[in-house]
Amino acid sequence: MTRIASSLAGILALVLAVLGGIALAQQDKYTLKVPGGLAFSEFRGYEAWPVIAISENGGLIAAILGNTVMIDAYKKVVPGNGEPFPDGAKMAKVHWNPKKQETYPGQPTVPGIQHDVDFMVKDSKRFGDSGGWGWAAFDYDATSGTFRPSTVASHPPQENGAKCGFACHTVVKNRDYVFTEYGNR
């Protein structure tokens, strides 16, 4: 092998090693789960779910999304009709830090850096002792582009078990533990 060919082979090997390392470093968010077993993978495809509502709370803006089971229940006026949400209903709440679009007309506030994502799933068998619902919250680290289960050190503080939302959601027990109202279209 000539010296040039050998040098090119070395450079190629180095480039492939760097690219391979970058690919390996990318997180598969669907491998994460919170204590109690609620996994990110149970919400695969949430990014494309329909919007239930939007909200602003605690300085964050959010889009609350629902799977087909959840949306169909809302269209049947659950929980206002006195029925609970059916098993399999799922919600995702994606929070962002707000940012102003200063150069746009009206200077709208829009999503900035993602803050976290929260999930809820109705599964009366798995979560019978928490109103039939399981919860999970995952903080987003914009620097690394990765998620991790939320903890009491998160902002806001968040228990990180699958029943983490139960205490907070008991104030809406009469709405089957769901705060979000389906926005009129």
Side-chain angles (χ1 to χ4, degrees):
M1 194 182 270
T2 68
R3 186 177 288 173
I4 293 175
S6 177
S7 295
L8 287 175
I11 291 170
L12 180 59
L14 179 63
V15 167
L16 290 175
V18 168
L19 291 176
I22 291 170
L24 289 174
Q26 297 298 315
Q27 178 192 45
D28 179 3
K29 64 186 176 186
Y30 294 110
T31 63
L32 299 175
K33 54 167 79 167
V34 299
L38 195 59
F40 211 121
S41 62
E42 294 179 57
F43 299 87
R44 189 177 298 274
Y46 75 92
E47 302 92 341
W49 290 352
V51 172
I52 296 168
I54 56 170
S55 72
E56 181 276 324
N57 191 317
L60 299 173
I61 57 175
I64 300 103
L65 315 170
N67 71 350
T68 304
V69 176
M70 192 76 182
I71 297 297
D72 289 348
Y74 271 123
K75 288 179 179 178
K76 292 177 184 172
V77 197
V78 171
N81 65 3
E83 294 180 28
F85 288 96
D87 280 357
K90 296 179 182 180
M91 297 174 71
K93 188 173 189 180
V94 184
H95 289 102
W96 295 273
N97 293 300
K99 74 175 184 180
K100 279 237 187 254
Q101 291 289 31
E102 308 258 340
T103 60
Y104 290 14
Q107 298 181 337
T109 299
V110 298
I113 296 170
Q114 186 173 354
H115 185 273
D116 63 70
V117 63
D118 303 339
F119 297 122
M120 283 178 70
V121 61
K122 182 72 175 270
D123 187 330
S124 298
K125 290 181 181 126
R126 274 173 76 190
F127 305 110
D129 60 346
S130 59
W133 290 94
W135 288 267
F138 297 92
D139 294 336
Y140 181 71
D141 179 356
T143 303
S144 65
T146 60
F147 289 90
R148 67 174 175 75
S150 298
T151 68
V152 293
S154 298
H155 180 72
Q158 182 77 36
E159 293 294 329
N160 68 350
K163 298 173 186 169
C164 64
F166 185 58
C168 182
H169 285 251
T170 57
V171 298
V172 286
K173 181 178 180 181
N174 65 333
R175 294 186 38 80
D176 196 19
Y177 301 94
V178 176
F179 288 108
T180 305
E181 296 182 17
Y182 190 62
N184 189 33
R185 270 104 175 127

